[in-house]
Amino acid sequence: MPEGDTVWRTARRLHAALAGEVLTRSDLRVPRFATADLTGRAVLDVTPRGKHLLTRIEGGLTLHSHLRMDGAWLVYAPDERWRGGPAHQIRAILANAAHTAVGYRLPVLELLRTADESTTVGHLGPDLLGPDWDPQEAVRRLTADPSRPLGEALLDQRNLAGIGNVYKSELAFLAGVTPWLPFGELPAGVPERLVATAHRLLEANKEGKERRTTTVRHPAQRLHVYGREGRPCLRCGAAIRKAEQSDDRVSYWCPGCQSGPSPAPADGTTQHRPTN
């Protein structure tokens, strides 16, 4: 899942391959920008902003992209075979003498003035992996709507930028509550610890190849609940459950370790368990 840590690594890889070099090839395969030609311009930097990528180019231009669920930017040497998917899935090609960056299945790709970047990322909350990270502001935004379910609040990039479905489920588990618990019902001090844990986990995972939220050194036990439906909880042994929450997103949780409301297994109605 491309979440904040994945996007951070992608930006670093693109920056290392493109920044400071002049583009010898530019091919944007989206109708609106198909005629745009960036060849002859130098790439200045590639910066992550939450789940967004900003490739800044000489002449006051920025190529804005977003990976969402399936997108990827891959970097190849000049004589290397491209392996990111069939040609019809390619949305962008940026190349210099030493590297070629190929964007596959990018659902968002737009060329804009660098001065107008705020029109695409200005709504975002504090970036968990950015220089603007402000835990107090993140807590303030999260707690502004106390009736909103925890899972929905964490996924809203206007509150804090970088959390996706994996971290949402894992953070709820580590907080000991279900993703359906209204944010205002979290015990005192938990919002601050939740935000601090989110920052710690993304920082710890941004350099690694395999995302990990547990301390168990086993490839099948890197995560507490996400993707583990029906398997025993690593803490209490209860079967991990999975259900849709909003916008076709799913949540995973442990009915033994996490208190609060959750969908009933049969009819989808909401069950309530006492909060700690």
Side-chain angles (χ1 to χ4, degrees):
M1 292 288 179
E3 304 196 18
D5 49 1
T6 304
V7 174
W8 187 93
R9 286 195 300 275
T10 299
R12 184 176 65 169
R13 189 164 58 248
L14 288 173
H15 184 88
L18 300 176
E21 301 294 333
V22 173
L23 292 173
T24 57
R25 182 179 179 184
S26 161
D27 186 359
L28 305 183
R29 300 182 180 180
V30 293
R32 184 179 174 189
F33 303 105
T35 60
D37 186 4
L38 302 174
T39 56
R41 299 174 185 254
V43 174
L44 304 179
D45 66 78
V46 182
T47 298
R49 183 73 175 86
K51 299 181 185 180
H52 300 253
L53 285 162
L54 302 172
T55 302
R56 299 184 178 117
I57 300 165
E58 185 180 26
L61 296 174
T62 294
L63 185 65
H64 167 234
S65 58
H66 196 296
L67 305 179
R68 289 192 180 163
M69 294 293 289
D70 301 315
W73 276 100
L74 301 177
V75 176
Y76 302 103
D79 58 348
E80 190 176 358
R81 183 172 64 88
W82 298 359
R83 303 177 302 278
H88 72 266
Q89 293 183 347
I90 295 174
R91 297 293 176 266
I93 302 171
L94 299 175
N96 54 41
H99 298 97
T100 299
V102 185
Y104 290 90
R105 300 171 299 279
L106 300 174
V108 176
L109 185 71
E110 59 178 341
L111 189 64
L112 63 151
R113 295 191 309 164
T114 301
D116 295 334
E117 285 180 0
S118 61
T119 62
T120 59
V121 296
H123 66 288
L124 298 176
D127 186 345
L128 281 154
L129 294 178
D132 70 322
W133 173 239
D134 183 341
Q136 289 77 26
E137 176 61 15
V139 170
R140 186 192 70 79
R141 294 187 181 210
L142 284 166
T143 56
D145 184 356
S147 65
R148 195 171 194 189
L150 169 69
E152 293 182 17
L154 288 175
L155 285 180
D156 190 337
Q157 303 299 294
R158 296 170 297 182
N159 290 331
L160 68 173
I163 290 178
N165 225 31
V166 178
Y167 281 116
K168 172 202 71 178
S169 293
E170 294 296 297
L171 287 166
F173 175 84
L174 291 169
V177 298
T178 69
W180 290 270
L181 183 74
F183 210 95
E185 294 184 23
L186 287 172
V190 172
E192 290 78 10
R193 291 198 298 273
L194 193 70
V195 165
T197 300
H199 182 242
R200 175 178 59 81
L201 289 177
L202 266 75
E203 280 285 347
N205 284 306
K206 71 180 185 181
E207 301 274 3
K209 294 181 179 180
E210 292 186 329
R211 184 179 292 133
R212 179 179 294 278
T213 62
T214 73
T215 58
V216 181
R217 293 298 169 185
H218 189 286
Q221 298 177 350
R222 294 180 295 106
L223 303 174
H224 291 284
V225 291
Y226 187 86
R228 301 189 70 246
E229 180 187 14
R231 299 175 65 183
C233 173
L234 301 178
R235 285 185 180 174
C236 74
I240 300 300
R241 291 179 55 195
K242 167 188 172 183
E244 289 190 6
Q245 184 164 15
S246 61
D247 298 328
D248 297 324
R249 301 289 190 98
V250 296
S251 288
Y252 295 82
W253 79 102
C254 170
C257 293
Q258 293 171 257
S259 59
S262 62
D267 58 9
T269 58
T270 303
Q271 291 180 328
H272 291 268
R273 298 177 60 232
T275 57
N276 294 329

